[in-house]
Amino acid sequence: MSDRQNLSWAACDALAAQGKKPSIGLVREWTIASTGAKKGSDGDVQKDISEWYADLLKLKRDKSVAELPDAVAALTRDLWRFAVESANDSLAAERTTLVAEKAEVEKLIDLAQEDTLAAIEIANDIKGKLTIANAALLGRDEQIKRLEENLSEQRAALLAKDERIAGLIDDLGRKAEEHAAGLAELDGLRKHSLLEIDRARGESKRWQTEFVRIDAEGKSAAHTYRQKIAALDSELSGARGRLGAVEESLAAANKRIDALDVELSTSKLANANIRQRFGNNKTPAAGKLIRRRKL
């Protein structure tokens, strides 16, 4: 049994429970209200209704009403009566339809006999319309299928978005916690920085005082050094004067040394001449005299 047939039978059961006679229109209305979509053609639905009646008749044959409780038996008899009336009405409607279709066909045959070409054109037009209708139905079915696929995709996308939103909410909560921790850490750093600034200010004041003291000591030492330099300059001037006198004395001594060198050279020359004279005489007395001079 197909899904469409199960749905049609469920519609027939619901309509029979409401005391309504199942028909194509009521079954179609019930299925659309229940599923939101049209299932099968009118011919398929009529076939499902007929099979539902046949199954109901088979149920009546398989199990007599006498075996059922009175309330169920009464409902079954009413249902059977409705089913028979519906079947009769359906058969009468089908006969009327067939008679009308037969009359229409006979008219078409008469027209075909009168004008075969016109009948062929009409038949082709009908076939074209049927083809267009079938194509339109096929296109609608495909459109419905695409819409269902799009709906599934949108549901999946919405589910993914919900998951993403949940993830973003978690991330936001985590970032809020991190932000709060960061603020606490920043406040600690700020307090520590203030303490460091106060300490630096104290150090700065201390170093400024030390700098003033060192600057005063430096100025005093510089004054002392200037005085010492002036004294050294004075002593250096005196030393230079004394050095000039020493240099003058040294120049005079060098002159005396040069005069002594000249005198010495003269003496050496005179001695050489004397030795030469005494050497030529070769007298013992002269030799003794020379040795004595050496001694």
Side-chain angles (χ1 to χ4, degrees):
M1 184 180 292
S2 63
D3 294 338
R4 188 204 70 250
Q5 189 175 9
N6 285 329
L7 189 62
S8 297
W9 282 28
C12 292
D13 292 338
L15 292 171
Q18 296 174 6
K20 296 180 181 180
K21 181 175 64 177
S23 63
I24 295 174
L26 293 176
V27 170
R28 180 77 72 193
E29 181 180 355
W30 188 90
T31 54
I32 292 174
S34 299
T35 63
K38 178 181 178 182
K39 301 292 183 180
S41 62
D42 291 344
D44 294 333
V45 174
Q46 181 60 52
K47 181 180 178 182
D48 295 338
I49 294 172
S50 299
E51 290 177 355
W52 179 79
Y53 279 121
D55 185 72
L56 187 65
L57 180 61
K58 181 177 180 296
L59 178 64
K60 182 177 181 300
R61 287 198 306 266
D62 293 341
K63 191 171 184 179
S64 61
V65 177
E67 297 178 0
L68 298 174
D70 294 339
V72 177
L75 179 61
T76 303
R77 282 193 297 272
D78 293 338
L79 186 61
W80 173 250
R81 180 171 54 80
F82 286 136
V84 171
E85 291 177 357
S86 177
N88 291 332
D89 292 341
S90 298
L91 291 174
E94 289 179 358
R95 290 192 188 96
T96 303
T97 302
L98 291 174
V99 170
E101 290 179 353
K102 182 179 179 183
E104 186 69 22
V105 170
E106 288 177 351
K107 290 180 180 179
L108 291 174
I109 292 172
D110 292 337
L111 292 173
Q113 291 176 353
E114 293 175 358
D115 192 352
T116 303
L117 184 59
I120 293 173
E121 290 179 357
I122 292 172
N124 291 333
D125 184 59
I126 293 173
K127 288 180 180 179
K129 290 180 179 179
L130 289 174
T131 302
I132 294 172
N134 291 329
L137 290 175
L138 181 61
R140 289 180 181 178
D141 291 338
E142 292 178 353
Q143 185 178 5
I144 291 171
K145 183 178 179 181
R146 287 194 300 271
L147 290 174
E148 290 176 350
E149 292 176 353
N150 291 333
L151 182 60
S152 300
E153 292 176 357
Q154 291 178 0
R155 287 175 178 173
L158 288 174
L159 181 60
K161 288 181 179 179
D162 291 338
E163 293 177 353
R164 184 179 179 185
I165 290 171
L168 291 174
I169 291 173
D170 294 338
D171 291 339
L172 183 61
R174 185 171 62 256
K175 288 181 179 180
E177 294 177 356
E178 293 176 356
H179 181 66
L183 288 177
E185 183 179 0
L186 183 62
D187 185 64
L189 291 174
R190 184 181 64 81
K191 292 179 179 178
H192 179 71
S193 298
L194 291 176
L195 293 175
E196 289 294 326
I197 289 171
D198 292 337
R199 187 179 65 81
R201 286 175 178 171
E203 290 290 331
S204 177
K205 290 180 180 178
R206 186 175 66 82
W207 283 112
Q208 285 178 357
T209 304
E210 187 70 15
F211 177 77
V212 171
R213 184 183 64 79
I214 292 172
D215 184 62
E217 291 179 354
K219 289 179 179 179
S220 177
H223 180 69
T224 302
Y225 288 148
R226 289 191 188 96
Q227 290 178 350
K228 289 181 179 180
I229 290 171
L232 290 173
D233 287 339
S234 178
E235 292 179 0
L236 180 62
S237 297
R240 285 176 178 173
R242 289 192 296 273
L243 180 61
V246 171
E247 287 177 350
E248 290 178 355
S249 298
L250 182 61
N254 287 330
K255 289 179 179 180
R256 288 196 298 272
I257 291 170
D258 291 338
L260 290 173
D261 286 337
V262 171
E263 186 179 353
L264 180 61
S265 298
T266 304
S267 298
K268 285 181 178 180
L269 182 59
N271 288 333
N273 291 329
I274 292 169
R275 286 176 182 176
Q276 186 176 8
R277 287 195 303 271
F278 281 104
N280 293 329
N281 292 328
K282 295 181 180 181
T283 59
K288 292 179 181 179
L289 181 61
I290 294 172
R291 284 196 296 269
R292 287 175 181 173
R293 288 180 177 178
K294 290 180 179 182
L295 292 174

